[in-house]
Amino acid sequence: VLLGLIGSFFLWRAARTATSGVPGRFQAAVEILFEMVDTQAKGIVHNAESRKLVSPLALTVFVWIFLLNSMDFLPVDLFHKVFEWTGLDHSIHYFRVVPTADLSTTLGMSVSVLLICLFYNIKIKGIGGWAHELVSAPFGTSKNPVFAVILGVVNVAEQLISFTAKTVSHGMRLFGNMYAGELVFMLIALLGGSWAFSADPGSLMLLLLHVVAGWAWAVFHIIIILLQAFVFMMLTLVYIGQAHDAH
């Protein structure tokens, strides 16, 4: 709901600015982002007809994952306070604030990319052409019937392993980075907790480490959040681009 409200507000602002005829800073930023994604799509997916869908898809993936990752900057207690006010705290016990730190979210998105790749494999090459590619690439085939069957089985196995490995690594990469970043934030928070419950006057160093490390990791995490959204978008383009290539 929160991301939907944010997205709706930004779209409303962009539409209002566009109809006014005077491009504002937000519209200029959106145009720069769109041109960046479109340039990457043109360099990877060479089919102009496919880019009519792939370019907006890549832009949506980038913005969506960036917003999901950015929820890591929300206060840890915010949602639990909201749940207490609304009475939902009795039914929600293991709420995760960052969606991309949950493996089911990232694998769901990577499986969606896999389905799109399968769609373009069939659309561009046809069912027969793609089936022939499954049994003949990457190790080729043979005129000998026995060797042809053996190579066909090996090629299909390799293709299945390739599709599975790309999909799992696509989702695991985003999950691993965001989950690790969440753990580091928790460890830094424990420094402040250790200082708060410590009776040793010399523990003031824990508070200093908590503030400095928290600030430094938050700044560095902004780069991670942006970079992971970009990497996921680029891999989406690469995998869809590979679906257009004949082997």
Side-chain angles (χ1 to χ4, degrees):
V1 175
L2 176 64
L3 291 174
L5 291 175
I6 293 174
S8 299
F9 173 75
F10 282 161
L11 289 175
W12 173 79
R13 284 287 304 274
R16 184 179 179 183
T17 305
T19 55
S20 66
V22 180
R25 287 176 293 181
F26 177 74
Q27 182 180 351
V30 171
E31 290 178 355
I32 292 173
L33 178 61
F34 176 81
E35 290 177 2
M36 182 272 292
V37 174
D38 191 54
T39 301
Q40 298 296 334
K42 288 179 179 178
I44 298 174
V45 181
H46 303 295
N47 189 310
E49 187 66 25
S50 297
R51 285 200 304 271
K52 293 180 180 179
L53 174 64
V54 174
S55 294
L57 172 67
L59 180 62
T60 302
V61 165
F62 178 80
V63 175
W64 180 244
I65 293 180
F66 177 75
L67 290 175
L68 294 179
N69 292 348
S70 298
M71 293 183 73
D72 210 3
F73 293 114
L74 295 176
V76 177
D77 300 333
L78 174 62
F79 289 97
H80 294 287
K81 292 296 182 182
V82 173
F83 294 155
E84 289 179 5
W85 297 336
T86 57
L88 293 175
D89 57 318
H90 300 293
S91 58
I92 301 178
H93 303 287
Y94 300 101
F95 179 74
R96 299 291 299 278
V97 176
V98 185
T100 46
D102 191 324
L103 190 57
S104 60
T105 303
T106 57
L107 283 182
M109 291 188 289
S110 64
V111 169
S112 300
V113 173
L114 171 64
L115 295 177
I116 295 172
C117 292
L118 297 180
F119 166 76
Y120 275 110
N121 269 300
I122 297 174
K123 180 182 178 181
I124 300 299
K125 305 165 187 174
I127 296 179
W130 185 48
H132 178 266
E133 182 179 286
L134 287 177
V135 298
S136 61
F139 301 112
T141 185
S142 173
K143 295 181 179 180
N144 187 304
V146 177
F147 289 153
V149 171
I150 295 175
L151 286 174
V153 172
V154 173
N155 286 327
V156 170
E158 196 280 336
Q159 293 274 10
L160 293 177
I161 292 173
S162 176
F163 280 123
T164 303
K166 288 190 294 187
T167 302
V168 173
S169 64
H170 198 191
M172 288 289 291
R173 180 181 290 102
L174 177 59
F175 159 75
N177 281 276
M178 297 311 301
Y179 186 74
E182 211 175 24
L183 286 180
V184 172
F185 272 124
M186 293 179 181
L187 292 174
I188 293 174
L190 288 176
L191 292 173
S194 299
W195 169 79
F197 293 100
S198 177
D200 185 8
S203 64
L204 189 63
M205 181 60 68
L206 292 174
L207 176 63
L208 181 62
L209 286 174
H210 168 74
V211 174
V212 174
W215 177 86
W217 183 249
V219 172
F220 181 67
H221 205 60
I222 295 175
I223 302 175
I224 294 177
I225 283 174
L226 185 63
L227 181 61
Q228 289 306 313
F230 180 78
V231 169
F232 197 96
M233 179 203 73
M234 288 299 298
L235 288 176
T236 299
L237 289 174
V238 168
Y239 294 155
I240 295 177
Q242 289 176 348
H244 288 71
D245 297 334
H247 298 282

